[in-house]
Amino acid sequence: MPSIARGVALVDVLASATVILILAGMTLPVALTTRDRIEGRFAARYLAGRFHAARLEAVRRNAAVALEISASRDDPAFRLIADGNGDGVRAADIASGIDPPLEPAEALTDRFPGVRFEVPFSLPEPDGSGRIEAGSDPLRFGSTAFIAFSPLGSATSGTAYLTDRSGRVLAVRILGATGRVRVLTFERHVGRWTEE
């Protein structure tokens, strides 16, 4: 009766390792892209949550509250600021200490390192009213860097555009009359926005 060889030959181990490395090499780029897309989605949802928090704080305080956002590449940060004298949140009042910050500034890149405020390529406005050119201002809330919320729950209308590491663009939009916040993703392959 023939004996059965015990153990594994070195050739078998090398062949198995080669197959595993090839499969890992094929799946790693997909996994990294998926991670980047999830990070972008989380960042947009987090920013939407900050809008909700500012709105609730305005209602709770019965005073205007603003979310100040800086899209600077060097310091992309945001913070909540309260109206201290009943005339709305104003840059001059912040500088003089009348409108106090309710928290220290928080950088989006601290929580989501691969996400930035940016419009990397030309794309249509989410409402279909025109086009946004590459490199234009990613914060579109009028002429200020404040998204103001009233004690009645209304807000400044506008949109913040975010880009993740994979190059996908997301929009966090707020409708002023109701303070409703929506998160949209631009599907570049079909050229349209979809709601998250």
Side-chain angles (χ1 to χ4, degrees):
M1 180 148 129
S3 65
I4 299 175
R6 294 185 180 228
V8 179
L10 180 59
V11 172
D12 294 334
V13 171
L14 290 175
S16 297
T18 302
V19 169
I20 290 169
L21 287 174
I22 289 170
L23 290 174
M26 290 172 21
T27 58
L28 188 60
V30 173
L32 291 176
T33 299
T34 301
R35 183 203 66 198
D36 293 341
R37 292 175 71 86
I38 289 170
E39 191 173 67
R41 180 177 292 138
F42 283 169
R45 289 279 175 206
Y46 182 76
L47 185 59
R50 300 294 291 145
F51 287 165
H52 286 298
R55 182 175 183 240
L56 290 174
E57 189 64 21
V59 171
R60 186 184 76 75
R61 288 176 170 269
N62 196 28
V65 171
L67 184 66
E68 179 186 36
I69 301 180
S70 163
S72 161
R73 279 197 174 278
D74 300 328
D75 187 24
F78 44 88
R79 64 182 176 165
L80 284 180
I81 299 172
D83 177 15
N85 59 356
D87 67 350
V89 177
R90 300 177 186 275
D93 289 348
I94 294 169
S96 66
I98 295 171
D99 292 347
L102 299 176
E103 61 191 11
E106 176 184 9
L108 185 69
T109 53
D110 287 347
R111 288 186 184 266
F112 308 98
V115 180
R116 61 203 175 279
F117 292 107
E118 183 183 31
V119 179
F121 51 84
S122 179
L123 45 80
E125 291 271 5
D127 61 7
S129 63
R131 290 197 69 75
I132 305 165
E133 295 306 317
S136 62
D137 188 1
L139 300 174
R140 296 173 172 257
F141 294 98
S143 61
T144 69
F146 301 114
I147 300 92
F149 297 84
S150 79
L152 301 175
S154 61
T156 307
S157 292
T159 306
Y161 294 94
L162 303 169
T163 302
D164 63 23
R165 281 188 189 136
S166 71
R168 185 175 61 150
V169 178
L170 298 106
V172 183
R173 293 179 58 91
I174 187 163
L175 179 62
T178 62
R180 179 177 177 227
V181 179
R182 296 171 52 209
V183 176
L184 306 168
T185 302
F186 184 67
E187 303 295 342
R188 195 170 187 181
H189 62 284
V190 292
R192 71 168 186 251
W193 291 94
T194 58
E195 191 156 0
E196 285 283 319

